[in-house]
Amino acid sequence: MTWGPFLLRRVVAFVPSLAALSVLVFGATELLPGDAVSAVAGPSATEAERAAVRERLGLDRDPVTRYLEWAGGALRGDLGTGYTGGRSVTELIADRLPNSLLLAGLALAVALPASVALGLLAGARAGRRADRAVSTGVLLVAGLPEFVLAALLLWLLAARTGLLPQVSLVPLGGTPLDAPEILVLPVLTLAVSGVAVGTRLVRSASAEVAASPWVEAARLRGITGPRLAARHVLPGALAPAAQALGLMTGALVGGAVVVETVFGYPGIGLELQQAVAHRDIPLVQGIALVLCAVTLATVLLADVAARALDPRRGSPR
Amino acid sequence: MSVPTTATALAEVDDLVVTRRTDGEPVLDGVSLTLRAGEVLAMVGRSGSGKTTLALSLLGRVREGLTPRSGTVRVAGLDPFTSEGRSRVRRRLVGFLGQDPASALNPARRLGSTLHEAAALTAPRGRGAAGRAERERRVRAALTEMDLPTDPGFLRRYPHQVSGGQAQRVALAVATIGEPRLLVLDEPTSGLDPSLAEDLAARLSARHRRAGGAMLLVSHDRLLTETLADRTLGIEGGRLGPPRRPAPSRRPPPRRRAEPASSGAPLLELAHLRATHGRHVAVEGVSLTVAAGGCTALVGPSGAGKSTVARCLLGLHGSWSGELRLAGSALPTDFRRRTGEQRRALQLVAQDSVGALNPRESVRGALLRPLAASGNGSEEEAARLLERVGLSPALLGRLPHDLSGGERQRVNLARALAARPRVLLCDEVTSALDGETRDAVLELLRELRHAQGLGVLLITHDWEVRATADQVVTLVDGRMVDAEREAAEDGASR
């Protein structure tokens, strides 16, 4: 299969996937415990006031109609208006998403080379001491929940030594880049947990290649160490690893919710956490949908990268 | 080994003992060997005899799970088991070509980069333009010697973009580009298509005539050993011996053709098979029968659709039509619609014994599952089966990677037999076996046919294996070639 049909097929498959996810997102928020009406109208509201709020928010109509309206709006780039504050959801996301992408991008820039290096080191010597050390360490870190990891790093680098600020306060009207030091802890937390996942993925892909007859043949030609790893094991391990790393990137987006909340970093994850706390359904739906789209896009990119990296796929004989 | 290496001795192995790490069982048990410069030494022995271990020890390599206990190895006075000796030996002195030479090429690297790297490893150091020109010259010379194109377009290709024969010759070029003083060849022709094996043998002997150089040849390919070797050594149970004189005639003892064991209705009948791969018709109009106690050979060049026929019979191929009857009753085309008994009745012994066994499952596990399904899942029964195929019950606890190629293939056979099949489909089962093991496996099949009325369908390109069959079906490009005429030609050529 050449590139044209491949790309077309993948991009076309993107649409129904996102549509299905939008149904899930909408359905899940419908089932969310708690009631937007009481959150908006306040605890002491009378039954009449509550009915008025319900009508104003359009919650008295049936869910299918509301879904279709919401999805239609989303297609036009309008995700509705948040209950609290009355701001347009689209605007809010456009405001916060860049901060989150910056965070995830920096974390990826740290995590990707580190996972490839560690995974290759372990995979090329599968079963030996270096592999056991790396694999065990990585497994330990992967087992730590992100908030525990964040708390550990906070205690170590901010509370005890005071090297870094404990809270990621962005200067008013500025961007996180105006105060780069606030980025360090969130990026580090995300990167460390990303490395833990990524290393394991790269390791298993390269361990498989390291056991292949062609790597054995290279060893018997006297090729060792970094050259063997980089020139003989890595080319064959990149394609499967790229796909796996795509999933890891998706996980970074999810991890951002926890990390941004812990550090008070003004990204889309913090916004989501607050929206859930306030039962701000349109905002929750909008952010969840955007996160789904971002994850789907990274998986798509990873598939394209995997194909580009594997000479056996898509090339004519 | 206090005497310094003499000028004529290129490689010396002295009292080498290599043992299995888990149970300390020796794989090489005190082997001593001297290989003179320019000499070609052939080593023959059945599978599991330690010949690959000995060959690899010259490169300072022991397989996973083995460990050298005592003894010395010297190649041109260097010890390949020390790190600096190993690098000199592997880069400059010894070239290696293993089973299925083309598999030594990294599928994710261009041919040119593999060749240039090999040239750089063996060429005298030179970073500048002169060094590069020297490498280019060596690559071109190596390609020309192997009758391969030298244009940049060819060098930019990946291994999967050239033919099997070309890939094999590139691999040979990579192994010999530095003009190694010793070439270690470990079963280079086993499992290859006959035409590829012939090409490789011819190139190796041409190379030897032209460039000299010693060779250690581990092979059970008589064509190869007879044309190349100056001297032949036998190896058995990790000890060297005089070459066991092969039986006066290497052909299996005279046997009746078309044994009258069976008569009446055939056990397995296949008629009008038509199988497709997508829009491509892979096999068309194939009919064959296997009699109870009979053996039908399915032969043909690679790519003729032999394995597709086997997959159809097993119900594994997705899209095929035709009539299939087992002992007179029709079998569904799809295995999912077959009953457990019908599935057990047809068993496959696959060509790739590595891929066919679960790497994490012990021999015991592999045998007990089908045994339990057919009603007798006892340990003794598993041990009995192993003995049946000529293996020691001590292997029950082993994992597939602890078995030699021949042992693995026989475990495969034992596993198929554990299901108590009525018809056994053997897909190139002997292609990776040495002559003696192969004859033993064929003898075992013959015995099973006679004792239990087992029907056998042999897929093979080995002439001697084909001769054990009482019917021959020849496939070319997915069509049958007249079987009668084949048989007549066969008879005439014997």
Side-chain angles (χ1 to χ4, degrees):
Chain A
M1 198 162 50
T2 47
W3 276 101
F6 168 77
L7 279 178
L8 191 70
R9 198 180 287 188
R10 297 316 307 260
V11 172
V12 167
F14 187 91
V15 176
S17 309
L18 192 59
L21 282 170
S22 77
V23 173
L24 274 179
V25 163
F26 193 87
T29 47
E30 281 291 305
L31 297 176
L32 208 60
D35 184 7
V37 176
S38 32
V40 171
S44 57
T46 62
E47 200 45 52
E49 281 168 341
R50 292 170 62 87
V53 168
R54 188 172 286 121
E55 203 186 315
R56 180 161 63 79
L57 298 180
L59 291 178
D60 49 350
R61 290 170 303 146
D62 77 304
V64 176
T65 322
R66 281 186 289 127
Y67 170 74
L68 289 178
E69 262 185 30
W70 175 70
L75 280 179
R76 292 189 306 272
D78 172 20
L79 288 165
T81 309
Y83 294 161
T84 43
R87 284 184 67 188
S88 148
V89 173
T90 316
E91 249 172 58
L92 224 143
I93 291 175
D95 194 28
R96 295 297 171 89
L97 188 61
N99 288 353
S100 286
L101 289 181
L102 175 70
L103 186 63
L106 285 174
L108 199 62
V110 175
L112 211 54
S115 351
V116 169
L118 281 174
L120 206 52
L121 173 75
R125 321 171 156 252
R128 307 245 294 272
R129 198 174 300 147
D131 173 35
R132 280 202 295 268
V134 169
S135 298
T136 315
V138 148
L139 192 64
L140 276 176
V141 177
L144 284 179
E146 261 145 353
F147 64 87
V148 175
L149 194 63
L152 268 176
L153 288 171
L154 252 178
W155 175 75
L156 202 70
L157 294 174
R160 284 210 29 121
T161 54
L163 286 174
L164 295 162
Q166 297 194 29
V167 181
S168 301
L169 285 175
V170 172
L172 221 59
T175 72
L177 285 176
D178 294 336
E181 68 276 8
I182 63 161
L183 278 165
V184 176
L185 276 177
V187 166
L188 207 58
T189 311
L190 271 183
V192 167
S193 59
V195 167
V197 180
T199 302
R200 283 153 53 80
L201 300 173
V202 176
R203 184 208 168 268
S204 69
S206 40
E208 201 170 301
V209 179
S212 66
W214 55 89
V215 170
E216 173 73 6
R219 270 193 211 110
L220 291 179
R221 287 203 298 276
I223 300 164
T224 51
R227 184 174 185 92
L228 186 76
R231 304 299 289 276
H232 293 263
V233 177
L234 189 58
L238 267 183
Q243 244 152 351
L245 290 171
L247 290 174
M248 171 191 113
T249 312
L252 275 186
V253 177
V257 177
V258 175
V259 171
E260 287 177 6
T261 306
V262 170
F263 293 103
Y265 180 87
I268 202 172
L270 180 63
E271 207 60 55
L272 178 62
Q273 185 263 336
Q274 285 172 351
V276 172
H278 296 141
R279 308 277 179 273
D280 192 340
I281 308 263
L283 192 52
V284 173
Q285 288 168 341
I287 293 177
L289 190 65
V290 167
L291 288 181
C292 288
V294 170
T295 306
L296 277 180
T298 53
V299 170
L300 175 68
L301 276 179
D303 277 358
V304 171
R307 193 184 151 92
L309 288 167
D310 185 351
R312 278 162 296 183
R313 269 188 284 187
S315 59
R317 254 197 89 98
Chain B
M1 246 208 48
S2 55
V3 190
T5 321
T6 55
T8 51
L10 176 61
E12 289 199 277
V13 177
D14 192 41
D15 201 21
L16 182 66
V17 179
V18 176
T19 58
R20 207 179 288 284
R21 201 167 286 163
T22 44
D23 49 13
E25 199 186 306
V27 176
L28 287 181
D29 194 2
V31 174
S32 299
L33 175 79
T34 307
L35 192 61
R36 289 185 297 276
E39 182 187 29
V40 179
L41 174 64
M43 208 149 45
V44 296
R46 45 200 301 168
S47 49
S49 60
K51 48 193 202 302
T52 296
T53 307
L54 178 56
L56 286 176
S57 75
L58 290 177
L59 291 128
R61 171 89 180 149
V62 284
R63 258 202 325 259
E64 204 85 358
L66 301 183
T67 177
R69 281 261 178 263
S70 63
T72 55
V73 179
R74 292 285 181 276
V75 178
L78 294 164
D79 182 357
F81 283 99
T82 61
S83 69
E84 102 209 46
R86 178 185 304 147
S87 131
R88 289 273 319 268
V89 165
R90 290 187 183 176
R91 289 176 178 211
R92 298 289 174 84
L93 295 167
V94 185
F96 178 82
L97 206 60
Q99 213 177 87
D100 186 6
S103 74
L105 299 175
N106 193 331
R109 301 189 72 193
R110 299 180 195 277
L111 299 177
S113 96
T114 302
L115 279 163
H116 277 283
E117 182 189 59
L121 282 173
T122 56
R125 295 199 181 277
R127 286 227 159 261
R132 177 152 352 114
E134 170 63 15
R135 288 199 292 278
E136 298 265 339
R137 194 194 61 75
R138 285 191 180 213
V139 169
R140 258 200 312 279
L143 288 173
T144 315
E145 185 191 331
M146 295 294 152
D147 295 326
L148 290 165
T150 56
D151 60 294
F154 182 77
L155 291 175
R156 284 185 53 76
R157 295 206 193 161
Y158 287 100
H160 73 277
Q161 293 168 323
V162 300
S163 75
Q166 281 177 326
Q168 177 175 302
R169 279 180 274 158
V170 172
L172 186 55
V174 168
T176 58
I177 199 165
E179 303 286 340
R181 288 167 67 188
L182 171 62
L183 197 55
V184 173
L185 302 159
D186 182 18
E187 311 255 17
T189 56
S190 95
L192 290 183
D193 216 58
S195 60
L196 286 182
E198 231 166 83
D199 181 61
L200 186 65
R203 287 185 186 278
L204 282 171
S205 59
R207 198 194 137 68
H208 184 65
R209 274 197 306 278
R210 187 187 62 75
M215 291 192 198
L216 179 68
L217 177 59
V218 173
S219 181
H220 55 255
D221 182 341
R222 271 190 316 148
L223 176 78
L224 195 62
T225 50
E226 276 171 13
T227 46
L228 278 173
D230 304 321
R231 180 159 72 108
T232 304
L233 278 180
I235 182 165
E236 173 105 45
R239 288 172 173 279
L240 285 182
R244 284 168 297 101
R245 275 284 127 227
S249 145
R250 282 254 298 132
R251 300 236 177 289
R255 63 187 161 284
R256 301 127 298 181
R257 246 176 107 79
E259 282 130 342
S262 59
S263 56
L267 184 56
L268 186 75
E269 267 179 288
L270 171 72
H272 316 301
L273 169 72
R274 182 176 191 278
T276 52
H277 286 298
R279 258 171 276 163
H280 170 68
V281 179
V283 178
E284 190 159 30
V286 170
S287 302
L288 58 83
T289 59
V290 179
C295 175
T296 302
L298 186 57
V299 300
S302 55
K306 303 186 297 273
S307 292
T308 304
V309 172
R311 286 171 54 79
C312 292
L313 290 174
L314 292 163
L316 293 173
H317 191 74
S319 52
W320 70 281
S321 60
E323 289 154 40
L324 181 59
R325 302 174 85 77
L326 179 72
S329 56
L331 274 184
T333 56
D334 187 340
F335 80 97
R336 274 166 288 216
R337 285 188 286 118
R338 293 183 187 173
T339 64
E341 197 184 326
Q342 284 172 331
R343 290 187 206 179
R344 281 196 293 278
L346 275 178
Q347 286 293 317
L348 170 78
V349 186
Q351 174 172 17
D352 174 12
S353 66
V354 182
L357 292 173
N358 181 344
R360 300 256 170 190
E361 188 177 52
S362 67
V363 172
R364 178 181 290 112
L367 293 181
L368 285 184
R369 245 181 320 106
L371 278 176
S374 60
N376 185 1
S378 71
E379 181 104 10
E380 296 88 71
E381 186 65 18
R384 208 182 58 74
L385 259 176
L386 275 189
E387 278 174 2
R388 219 46 260 225
V389 296
L391 293 176
S392 146
L395 297 186
L396 275 177
R398 296 257 183 95
L399 289 173
H401 69 84
D402 270 341
L403 301 172
S404 73
E407 287 169 342
R408 264 200 305 267
Q409 193 55 283
R410 280 188 276 183
V411 168
N412 247 337
L413 184 62
R415 182 179 60 174
L417 292 175
R420 301 182 184 282
R422 304 185 65 180
V423 178
L424 208 54
L425 307 182
C426 301
D427 190 354
E428 301 278 12
V429 286
T430 55
S431 66
L433 301 182
D434 59 274
E436 195 181 332
T437 314
R438 182 194 59 184
D439 290 349
V441 167
L442 291 179
E443 187 54 44
L444 172 69
L445 287 177
R446 196 170 311 132
E447 193 192 304
L448 288 166
R449 283 160 51 200
H450 286 272
Q452 308 181 348
L454 183 75
V456 174
L457 180 68
L458 270 181
I459 296 178
T460 184
H461 57 240
D462 185 332
W463 196 88
E464 292 180 39
V465 173
R466 183 219 286 213
T468 66
D470 44 38
Q471 278 183 60
V472 175
V473 175
T474 307
L475 278 191
V476 173
D477 284 339
R479 308 282 189 283
M480 273 169 78
V481 177
D482 190 355
E484 292 295 315
R485 205 190 64 214
E486 263 303 301
E489 277 173 11
D490 241 42
S493 68
R494 292 188 85 182

